[in-house]
Amino acid sequence: MSNINESSVAKDVASFLARPPKLLIDGKFVEANSGRSTAVLNPATGQEIARAADADVSDVDKAVQAAYRAFDYSSPWRRMSALDRGRIIGRFARLLEKHGDELAEIEVLNGGWLRAAAKETEVDLSVRHLDYFSGWPSKIEGNTIPVAHPDVMVRTEREPVGVVAQIVPWNFPLLMAVWKIAPALAAGCTIVLKPATNTPLVALRLGELGLEAGLPPGVLNILPGSGRVAGQALAEHPLVDKVAFTGSTGVGTGIAKSVADQVKRVTLELGGKSPNIIFNDAPRDGAAAGAAGTIFFHAGQTCAAGSRLYVESSAYDEVVASLADKANSMRVGPGVDSASDMGPLISHQQLNQVRSFIDESVSRGGEVVAGGSGVPDGVDANGYFMRPTIIAGLDDNAPAVREEIFGPVLVVQPFDSLEEIARRANDTEYGLAAGIWTRDIARANKLASMIRAGTVYINTYGLTDAAAPFGGFKRSGYGRDMGHENLDSYLETKTVWTSLT
Ligand code: NAP
Ligand code: MG
């Protein structure tokens, strides 16, 4: 039975990969005006697995115009009841569930995901996300306002913000797209989404399932293309009302600057360098497993990774030794092999960048206690694999301690007091997440209130939920993904005054 399933999934995926490169505009798959396409690689082999269309400025205009028409006041989407909008999002969730194995397989082949993680993270969390937001459209309500003027009635209405540009990165190609799409649809917006150049495929399949779920043409347009050309043109297009961006701090701040004159709404989910703090009294096994899990999951390519580990001095040697054992025992390999514990990085460029942090750390006296920049044993040398790595002995100013590495590299340092660790945890330009491990819950909560980060985990790390807001303080961004705070960012408030005389 499972063989039949596997081979039908493999057939579906093979025929999807063999499709000619297209853009999804106004409910149809169309060629890019330029006729250009780019290679899509499997990061576990370095081999080309498909071609993706490369949208240019004229394609961006076409997609935005389609989204603009779909947002017209008399369009089917705008005239649809809130309840029906929710039903479509619910059907969208069911279709993701139905095609879960196929979507996960695309993530394994293009995103470098381990098969089980692709299913549990990319697919299952995306389904839950759509389910959560499917309930919202019919609960978006305004207020009546008791103003001081006589004989007037004042009410507020919550309206969709309009055409939204959504630009997402390569680390969670499906989930990041769904994080953005679901609340925008719930609010009643129309969308042009640009996936990352490294991972353009799954979003096209997602857009197709959206059409099958009943989204009218033009409501969800998917536009593979380069950030510098298509991404920039999309963000700056005058008919785009809001830009929702997830990616690096450099690109995000550039977008915010370039659209400031147009007074576009912008939300930014950016990088992180999150502290993970283990006190001596922490449940040791859980803390060590959590510390390894947060940095080695998806080869460290997660924005909230607890990449700076601080261990109370009296527990330091023991915790570091146990982490080194864990790192050394992990099997690095492709996601298609169920024995793999960690897959490849996304690209050769990313691999070189991560390695250079390790080499630089060694040259300034850092001690590699596990892993290192060499090629792991037994992997395809054309893939972008590296070993789970732990570096000790760096000072607080080392680049590996300050900068986002976005790879499986953990820096570990000892600390001695609560005040000291609060200061060092906050000594970063970022503020996305933090972890605290201790049995002393009063101390944990005191430290949680001292740390400037959008999410603080106590005795756990890395959970997310569609209902729980997620986003950054400081240079990790502004706005929130998930929760009703996210929905708010796709809504405008209109105040309506009516004379009663
Ligand atoms: P990136 O280079 O900033 O790219 C993100 C997206 O922006 C891609 O689609 C990219 O297209 C596009 N882009 C690049 N230049 C652009 C421009 N000038 N105008 C408009 N769009 C442009 O980030 P990345 O390297 O793909 O992803 C890693 C980063 O994302 C990390 O810093 C990580 O922390 C952050 N991240 C944050 C979160 C969060 O929720 N806070 C989640 C995941 C990742 P191309 O692919 O063509 O370059
Ligand atoms: Mg990039």
Side-chain angles (χ1 to χ4, degrees):
M1 183 65 196
S2 80
N3 277 344
I4 294 168
N5 256 338
E6 268 175 35
S7 69
S8 77
V9 167
K11 233 170 72 193
D12 289 347
V13 172
S15 72
F16 174 71
L17 296 180
R19 287 188 195 178
K22 296 273 172 72
L23 310 166
L24 179 55
I25 299 178
D26 210 8
K28 290 187 221 54
F29 282 97
V30 296
E31 270 168 32
N33 283 332
S34 65
R36 275 199 316 267
S37 67
T38 53
V40 181
L41 307 183
N42 178 343
T45 64
Q47 302 299 309
E48 180 174 321
I49 53 168
R51 309 278 314 169
D54 187 9
D56 69 10
V57 175
S58 67
D59 298 306
V60 168
D61 184 55
K62 202 160 119 187
V64 173
Q65 297 283 355
Y68 185 72
R69 283 193 304 276
F71 191 73
D72 186 87
Y73 191 75
S74 60
S75 72
W77 182 238
R78 294 299 299 286
R79 295 191 58 80
M80 189 180 288
S81 73
L83 200 63
D84 283 344
R85 211 160 69 231
R87 285 190 177 124
I88 290 180
I89 301 172
R91 278 205 294 275
F92 204 171
R94 301 287 72 74
L95 285 168
L96 254 70
E97 217 162 37
K98 180 174 161 199
H99 295 278
D101 288 339
E102 177 199 338
L103 294 165
E105 202 59 20
I106 297 171
E107 296 295 69
V108 170
L109 296 177
N110 182 201
W113 278 85
L114 301 182
R115 204 174 260 151
K119 201 64 213 310
E120 283 159 24
T121 303
E122 284 281 271
V123 176
D124 292 353
L125 292 183
S126 295
V127 170
R128 284 198 225 166
H129 206 76
L130 286 163
D131 275 333
Y132 172 82
F133 280 102
S134 72
W136 265 112
S138 56
K139 285 106 191 154
I140 298 170
E141 298 170 344
N143 290 312
T144 52
I145 313 289
V147 294
H149 302 277
D151 298 323
V152 288
M153 186 181 73
V154 179
R155 69 170 194 277
T156 58
E157 292 176 3
R158 303 281 280 152
E159 292 188 1
V161 72
V163 176
V164 298
Q166 304 189 321
I167 300 174
V168 293
W170 43 259
N171 58 343
F172 295 77
L174 179 65
L175 187 62
M176 289 302 118
V178 172
W179 274 18
K180 296 274 181 269
I181 288 169
L185 292 178
C189 295
T190 60
I191 299 164
V192 181
L193 179 129
K194 193 202 86 65
T197 299
N198 288 319
T199 55
L201 300 178
V202 82
L204 289 165
R205 188 71 182 108
L206 182 68
E208 191 173 35
L209 294 176
L211 288 174
E212 196 180 328
L215 291 176
V219 170
L220 175 58
N221 305 276
I222 309 287
L223 220 60
S226 83
R228 226 168 301 145
V229 177
Q232 191 75 36
L234 177 59
E236 291 178 358
H237 197 292
L239 294 180
V240 165
D241 297 289
K242 171 188 160 78
V243 184
F245 174 84
T246 296
S248 60
T249 297
V251 172
T253 51
I255 289 176
K257 266 187 232 162
S258 73
V259 304
D261 282 351
Q262 298 181 54
V263 201
K264 280 194 208 301
R265 283 80 183 114
V266 178
T267 44
L268 301 175
E269 299 291 344
L270 307 175
K273 189 73 189 177
S274 300
N276 189 21
I277 299 159
I278 301 180
F279 286 92
N280 185 20
D281 70 341
R284 285 292 162 83
D285 290 350
T294 167
I295 192 67
F296 300 137
F297 175 74
H298 199 37
Q301 302 168 114
T302 67
C303 48
S307 51
R308 290 186 285 149
L309 180 66
Y310 298 94
V311 186
E312 194 167 7
S313 292
S314 49
Y316 181 81
D317 289 341
E318 192 191 320
V319 170
V320 172
S322 131
L323 278 170
D325 281 348
K326 278 187 202 310
N328 288 328
S329 69
M330 287 177 76
R331 280 210 261 178
V332 178
V336 291
D337 180 351
S338 62
S340 301
D341 297 312
M342 193 178 91
L345 300 193
I346 192 66
S347 65
H348 196 245
Q349 184 199 350
Q350 190 71 11
L351 179 66
N352 281 342
Q353 207 169 302
V354 175
R355 281 181 177 152
S356 71
F357 274 103
I358 299 175
D359 296 340
E360 202 273 347
S361 298
V362 170
S363 74
R364 60 187 288 147
E367 183 201 350
V368 175
V369 295
S373 59
V375 179
D377 294 335
V379 298
D380 181 341
N382 296 311
Y384 314 128
F385 293 99
M386 64 171 293
R387 295 148 74 190
T389 298
I390 300 173
I391 305 174
L394 292 171
D395 61 87
D396 285 357
N397 294 318
V401 176
R402 304 209 73 81
E403 293 171 32
E404 181 176 53
I405 300 176
F406 225 59
V409 180
L410 182 66
V411 291
V412 291
Q413 295 177 287
F415 74 91
D416 291 304
S417 75
L418 183 86
E419 285 65 31
E420 174 207 333
I421 195 54
R423 180 181 50 74
R424 289 172 70 198
N426 286 330
D427 180 18
T428 170
E429 63 180 21
Y430 294 113
L432 194 56
I436 300 168
W437 300 82
T438 172
R439 286 205 168 88
D440 181 341
I441 290 304
R443 172 163 69 179
N445 281 286
K446 181 172 182 195
L447 184 53
S449 63
M450 294 163 93
I451 287 179
R452 301 196 61 213
T455 297
V456 179
Y457 295 108
I458 297 174
N459 294 332
T460 183
Y461 202 110
L463 291 169
T464 62
D465 190 282
F470 177 86
F473 281 26
K474 297 156 75 180
R475 277 169 63 83
S476 289
Y478 43 74
R480 291 291 176 270
D481 275 317
M482 302 193 271
H484 51 81
E485 282 192 44
N486 194 191
L487 190 66
D488 287 344
S489 76
Y490 290 99
L491 294 167
E492 297 277 17
T493 299
K494 178 181 282 174
T495 308
V496 181
W497 294 69
T498 308
S499 167
L500 299 180
T501 59

